[in-house]
Amino acid sequence: MKRILVPTDFSEYAENALKVAAIIAKKNNCEIFLLHLLELPNQMNDAVKGGSSIPEVMLFIKKANETLQKIKEQPYLNGISVNASVQFERAFSGILSFNKKNEIDLIVMGSHGTSGIEEVLIGSNTEKVVRLSEIPVLVIKKNIRDFKFNNFVFASDFSKETKKPFKKMIEFAKIFKANLYLVMICTPNSFKTTKMSEEIMKKFIDSFEVENYSTHIYNDVNIENGIINFTNSIDADLIGLCTHGRTGFAHFFNGSISEDLVNHTAKPVITFKI
């Protein structure tokens, strides 16, 4: 992992994400890409595409670049290579297109935990990035002064299709030398006996070289509650999940559970595409 993207709307939530990205960058000698997205009214957007320079657009660009420059001068970014860009595009589509053009390895996004990133990344944009991104997405919800990953929960059903994202998760955990808590959540709607669950997990994990890990089976009324309650019970620093391009978070989640999980826990959440 060498390139980290941090989308910013200049809010405190975006700054929280940038601080975390800086810690990761220093640990892994990464380059940070700051991206500010301007979604202009249709008439202005047409002018930009047509090569016209109108005063309002030029003012937006000037102010955005000035703010990005001030951010780059923050002490917590000392010693890190930081590239800043302003792009005219909708939030989630702009982030995804930027990833492909710049071969980004990780996205770190800030969120206030109720509707995505404040102001620019509103509504379902955060969920769309998580669902559609081909690379891992780390969502940060609060200011973390001493960011660490001592205890890393990875919740999964440990099916064959999660092997690829599981490998990426292991690589990420190694950066922080984290203790991995691999957990299968059993609910009334997805009940498995303890013996069956243990066999599934053992067979899955035997395919990898994993260090500092333990396996757990946790029973709860639903998967969302199970993950949150297990995470809180061990005071975990991070929750890891697999995502599926069609349905959002891990395919064994249904409906809005993925969004609810991100919104209802203050813990950082990192997702890996199946």
Side-chain angles (χ1 to χ4, degrees):
M1 184 173 66
K2 293 300 178 185
R3 296 184 164 201
I4 301 173
L5 171 63
V6 182
T8 180
D9 58 2
F10 307 138
S11 68
E12 63 177 296
Y13 308 106
E15 185 178 16
N16 293 340
L18 182 57
K19 289 177 180 178
V20 171
I23 295 171
I24 298 173
K26 288 178 180 178
K27 279 186 174 291
N28 210 46
N29 193 28
C30 297
E31 186 176 10
I32 290 178
F33 289 77
L34 265 176
L35 175 64
H36 180 66
L37 294 156
L38 286 172
E39 189 170 346
L40 301 175
N42 289 334
Q43 64 272 23
M44 289 189 183
N45 196 35
D46 291 340
V48 171
K49 289 181 179 179
S52 301
S53 295
I54 56 178
E56 293 89 343
V57 174
M58 299 309 294
L59 180 61
F60 287 147
I61 295 173
K62 183 176 183 293
K63 290 294 184 182
N65 282 322
E66 287 175 354
T67 306
L68 286 171
Q69 184 57 42
K70 289 180 181 178
I71 292 174
K72 289 173 65 175
E73 295 169 359
Q74 293 299 309
Y76 58 82
L77 293 173
N78 287 345
I80 302 172
S81 175
V82 180
N83 295 283
S85 302
V86 177
Q87 189 165 298
F88 295 97
E89 199 166 351
R90 290 186 176 181
F92 78 91
S93 58
I95 292 169
L96 297 178
S97 64
F98 189 91
N99 289 344
K100 294 179 180 179
K101 292 176 184 177
N102 296 277
E103 298 181 342
I104 300 299
D105 301 304
L106 172 69
I107 305 171
V108 183
M109 299 175 69
S111 172
H112 56 54
T114 55
S115 61
I117 294 182
E118 192 179 42
E119 295 177 7
V120 174
L121 301 180
I122 58 174
S124 62
N125 281 316
T126 300
E127 198 275 338
K128 286 179 181 178
V129 172
V130 166
R131 172 159 45 91
L132 298 174
S133 175
E134 296 291 334
I135 64 174
V137 180
L138 174 59
V139 181
I140 304 296
K141 304 178 194 68
K142 62 180 182 178
N143 186 19
I144 305 174
R145 293 182 180 179
D146 184 21
F147 187 69
K148 55 188 178 181
F149 286 152
N150 291 339
N151 298 327
F152 184 180
V153 169
F154 184 77
S156 176
D157 62 355
F158 300 95
S159 59
K160 289 182 179 179
E161 65 179 337
T162 62
K163 285 190 172 183
K164 183 178 178 181
F166 186 78
K167 186 177 180 180
K168 291 182 179 179
M169 184 276 300
I170 293 173
E171 293 171 355
F172 186 82
K174 284 181 178 178
I175 296 174
F176 295 90
K177 298 179 181 178
N179 299 312
L180 282 173
Y181 291 79
L182 309 178
V183 61
M184 177 181 287
I185 307 298
C186 290
T187 72
N189 292 328
S190 61
F191 176 76
K192 295 182 181 66
T193 64
T194 298
K195 182 180 179 181
M196 184 185 302
S197 300
E198 288 175 343
E199 288 175 350
I200 291 172
M201 296 181 77
K202 184 180 185 307
K203 184 178 179 181
F204 182 92
I205 295 164
D206 283 346
S207 303
F208 300 89
E209 293 183 6
V210 190
E211 299 177 355
N212 302 324
Y213 79 93
S214 56
T215 58
H216 304 266
I217 300 162
Y218 196 88
N219 300 318
D220 215 316
V221 294
N222 58 51
I223 291 174
E224 178 201 344
N225 284 350
I227 294 173
I228 291 174
N229 290 333
F230 177 76
T231 298
N232 291 337
S233 72
I234 65 166
D235 193 25
D237 304 301
L238 175 69
I239 301 171
L241 301 166
C242 296
T243 65
H244 199 295
R246 293 189 303 274
T247 58
F249 280 50
H251 67 281
F252 58 93
F253 293 158
N254 294 315
S256 63
I257 294 177
S258 60
E259 295 172 53
D260 290 343
L261 181 65
V262 168
N263 292 332
H264 294 164
T265 177
K267 303 286 185 182
V269 176
I270 186 168
T271 62
F272 303 87
K273 177 71 175 292
I274 291 177

